[in-house]
Amino acid sequence: ADSVTTAGSDDNQGNREAVAAEPESETQPAEESKASPTAPEAPMEQYASYTPFEGEYLTDSYGLLTEAEQAAIESYAKQASQKHGCGVYVLIVDDYSLLNDNSEIFKANYTYYHDRNMGIGDGRDGVFLLLSMNDRDFSFFVYGEKAEYALNDWGQMMLEDEFVDDLADNRWYDGLEDFVNTCDEYLTLAEQGDPVREPPAGKLALS
């Protein structure tokens, strides 16, 4: 299929992952894509047109964003992280498999997180989004008691719904801004004792 969405765990830590595949060959009918319905046929290298950036919360080693966009995402992520005591991180690379020799993006994601002792506080709380541009792949990893309370499996699905459509349409900055802002929103709700949860049967989720 063109898109696969799965949940994984690392010692009961949450993760959401979606894969947007390369276009099907002419001899095979393309199936409908959930995560990237408008994935371009042009090589992804066309997007690496800006200067790489390495900050405390955003690392754009691919050069996907403009300098102004990089500065804005770094600022938003820093504010959210310091406000809640839970790191909100974004890493953009060309090929995730080159990060730590992992063949699966989720493993590359949590290995990178743990190898660098990412997260805030004794519990190393954090939400970490990894974008791999070479194959239009992404995964986000939720770690720590505070982060998991704010983003359980349902919360992770709701978070994904907030930013994946922008990434699918190549609106990279919009998608990353939505990711950071939604993390901020969900962490705030959790601190208020009202975390995002699946509504009871028969009721609609308001989001």
Side-chain angles (χ1 to χ4, degrees), residues 158-189:
M158 294 298 97
L159 170 60
E160 187 175 305
D161 286 346
E162 292 296 327
F163 72 90
V164 167
D165 57 340
D166 289 323
L167 301 185
D169 290 337
N170 306 322
R171 300 192 305 270
W172 312 113
Y173 174 78
D174 292 342
L176 297 179
E177 182 182 38
D178 286 346
F179 170 77
V180 174
N181 288 341
T182 303
C183 285
D184 183 12
E185 177 187 352
Y186 287 11
L187 287 163
T188 297
L189 290 171

Side-chain angles (χ1 to χ4, degrees), residues 31-80:
E31 299 178 12
E32 181 180 359
S33 171
K34 299 177 183 177
S36 185
T38 57
E41 296 183 3
M44 293 303 299
E45 285 78 1
Q46 67 175 302
Y47 300 113
S49 56
Y50 301 110
T51 304
F53 172 87
E54 183 173 0
E56 186 176 1
Y57 299 97
L58 166 68
T59 298
D60 180 8
S61 61
Y62 189 77
L64 180 67
L65 305 175
T66 68
E67 291 183 5
E69 291 170 341
Q70 291 165 342
I73 295 298
E74 171 72 12
S75 177
Y76 298 153
K78 180 177 182 178
Q79 291 175 35

Side-chain angles (χ1 to χ4, degrees), residues 43-160:
M44 293 303 299
E45 285 78 1
Q46 67 175 302
Y47 300 113
S49 56
Y50 301 110
T51 304
F53 172 87
E54 183 173 0
E56 186 176 1
Y57 299 97
L58 166 68
T59 298
D60 180 8
S61 61
Y62 189 77
L64 180 67
L65 305 175
T66 68
E67 291 183 5
E69 291 170 341
Q70 291 165 342
I73 295 298
E74 171 72 12
S75 177
Y76 298 153
K78 180 177 182 178
Q79 291 175 35
S81 299
Q82 295 181 346
K83 174 182 175 182
H84 300 291
C86 177
V88 179
Y89 305 100
V90 177
L91 172 62
I92 308 170
V93 298
D94 177 28
D95 184 351
Y96 74 84
S97 67
L98 301 179
L99 287 175
N100 42 46
D101 296 324
N102 276 297
S103 59
E104 299 177 19
I105 192 169
F106 170 56
K107 291 182 179 179
N109 194 344
Y110 72 69
T111 299
Y112 188 97
Y113 189 97
H114 289 311
D115 282 352
R116 288 159 180 76
N117 291 312
M118 295 170 69
I120 295 179
D122 293 339
R124 296 178 47 233
D125 285 275
V127 186
F128 177 35
L129 173 63
L130 170 62
L131 298 184
S132 179
M133 302 306 296
N134 180 265
D135 47 6
R136 297 183 65 87
D137 210 345
F138 81 84
S139 172
F140 68 89
F141 176 57
V142 177
Y143 186 84
E145 183 176 349
K146 181 183 296 184
E148 290 177 16
Y149 177 66
L151 288 157
N152 67 354
D153 286 346
W154 178 261
Q156 291 176 44
M157 288 192 294
M158 294 298 97
L159 170 60
E160 187 175 305

